[in-house]
């Protein structure tokens, strides 16, 4: 039996990745996030920035870490998916828990090996993010409150994104590329605002099916919309504080605020349906792209 099953595993994993990870989405996000964070960290220190080999190690590490976390999410959401998403690969048997866990072990080894070329600090920081993800899976299994209460779940799970940001910034500091200071914290807050704007936007709607995991189910549509817009505003404010000394050109990334403004107006005037996801995703992509371009052009 094993001689038949083993050759099929790469194909099953490949189909899982193409369907549930959507490399064109997650890889683009990871790429732009790392370029924006690294480029901004270097440029605000007054140095010129261009991507290096270490940059691409960070990009690949973040993308693989996101894949690791996606595989983990598929396992911890299995009970929910059996009811609300019966076509998911793990529910249908298109992939098994054992296959996903084996892939996660391989991803951990690859990420650790890649970062060993940077520094021991980089290895520890990226493994801390993966380890926290595993801890969350255990915590959700043990705590019904963490598992079922949407806002509490976000408060507990979001730090894994912060840890990936800390990995990027911390590996730069460990390499001596930047000196860690208050601007690093503000850059991480900027990235948090961008991500959380999208996170709330994709789970904000006027209507909700029973049992649906929406923030608007807890906060109400208008309350959830206000929080969604507030995260975008916070990200823009961080940009103003960080980049105002560079003049008008340095503040060009702030123009992406037009997208959440449009999304909020459309959602609140329609009074039905969901927050325009294209506007939220566009805000993420254009903000990170603008920050990366800004870093190349300035100082």
């Amino acid at each position: 039996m094993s001689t038949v099953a083993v050759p099929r595993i790469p194909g099953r994993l490949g189909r899982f990745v193409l369907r549930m990870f959507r490399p064109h989405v997650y890889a683009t996000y990871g790429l732009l996030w790392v370029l924006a964070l690294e480029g901004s960290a270097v440029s605000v220190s007054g140095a010129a920035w261009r991507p290096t080999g270490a940059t691409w190690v960070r990009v690949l590490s973040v993308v693989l870490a996101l894949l690791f976390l996606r595989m983990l999410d598929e396992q911890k959401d299995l009970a929910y998916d059996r009811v609300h998403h019966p076509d998911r690969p793990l529910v249908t048997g298109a992939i098994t828990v054992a296959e996903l866990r084996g892939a996660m072990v391989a991803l951990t080894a690859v990420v650790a090996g890649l970062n060993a070329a940077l520094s021991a600090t980089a290895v520890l920081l990226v493994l801390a993010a993966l380890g926290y993800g595993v801890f969350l899976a255990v915590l959700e299994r043990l705590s019904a409150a963490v598992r079922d209460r949407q806002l509490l779940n976000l408060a507990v799970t979001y730090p894994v994104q912060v840890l990936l940001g800390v990995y990027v910034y911390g590996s730069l500091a460990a390499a001596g590329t930047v000196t860690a200071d208050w601007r690093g914290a503000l850059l991480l807050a900027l990235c948090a605002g961008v991500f959380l704007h999208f996170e709330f936007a994709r789970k904000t709607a006027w209507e909700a099916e029973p049992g649906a995991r929406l923030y608007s189910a807890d906060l109400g549509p208008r309350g959830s919309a206000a929080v969604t817009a507030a995260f975008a505003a916070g990200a823009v404010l961080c940009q103003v504080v960080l980049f105002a000394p560079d003049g008008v050109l340095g503040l060009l990334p702030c123009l992406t605020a037009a997208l959440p403004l449009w999304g909020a107006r459309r959602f609140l005037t329609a009074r039905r349906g969901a927050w325009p996801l294209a506007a939220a995703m566009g805000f993420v992509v254009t903000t990170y792209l603008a920050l990366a371009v800004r870093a190349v052009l300035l100082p």
Side-chain angles (χ1 to χ4, degrees), residues 50-67:
R50 295 293 183 275
T52 65
T55 305
W56 303 119
V57 169
R58 295 183 186 102
V59 169
L60 184 56
S61 297
V62 167
V63 172
L64 293 179
L66 293 174
L67 176 57

Side-chain angles (χ1 to χ4, degrees), residues 83-238:
V83 177
H84 297 277
H85 303 288
D87 61 335
R88 291 283 177 88
L90 200 55
V91 179
T92 63
I95 196 80
T96 67
V97 169
E99 288 167 350
L100 288 180
R101 290 179 178 174
M104 289 165 62
V105 171
L107 287 172
T108 302
V110 170
V111 168
L114 284 171
N115 284 276
L118 299 183
S119 67
T121 299
V123 175
L124 291 174
L125 289 175
V126 75
L127 291 182
L130 301 185
Y132 187 76
V134 174
F135 164 74
L136 289 176
V138 175
L139 182 62
E140 288 191 26
R141 188 178 301 117
L142 297 176
S143 172
V146 171
R147 184 173 59 249
D148 300 329
R149 293 171 58 184
Q150 190 72 2
L151 293 173
L152 176 60
N153 184 268
L154 176 64
V156 173
T157 59
Y158 177 67
V160 73
Q161 287 274 338
V162 176
L163 287 172
L164 285 176
V166 169
Y167 152 70
V168 173
Y169 189 82
S171 64
L172 286 168
T177 307
V178 302
T179 301
D181 58 19
W182 63 271
R183 291 171 297 188
L186 207 55
L187 280 169
L188 293 175
L190 190 166
C191 293
V194 171
F195 174 83
L196 290 171
H197 168 75
F198 176 76
E199 169 66 15
F200 267 78
R202 74 188 185 94
K203 296 181 180 180
T204 294
W206 287 98
E207 307 89 10
E209 296 180 359
R213 294 177 176 177
L214 298 178
Y215 299 117
S216 50
D218 294 328
L219 300 174
R222 289 182 178 83
S224 189
V227 173
T228 302
F231 279 122
V236 173
L237 179 60
C238 289

Side-chain angles (χ1 to χ4, degrees), residues 155 194 203 208 283 285 289:
V194 171
K203 296 181 180 180
F283 179 65
V285 172
L289 182 60

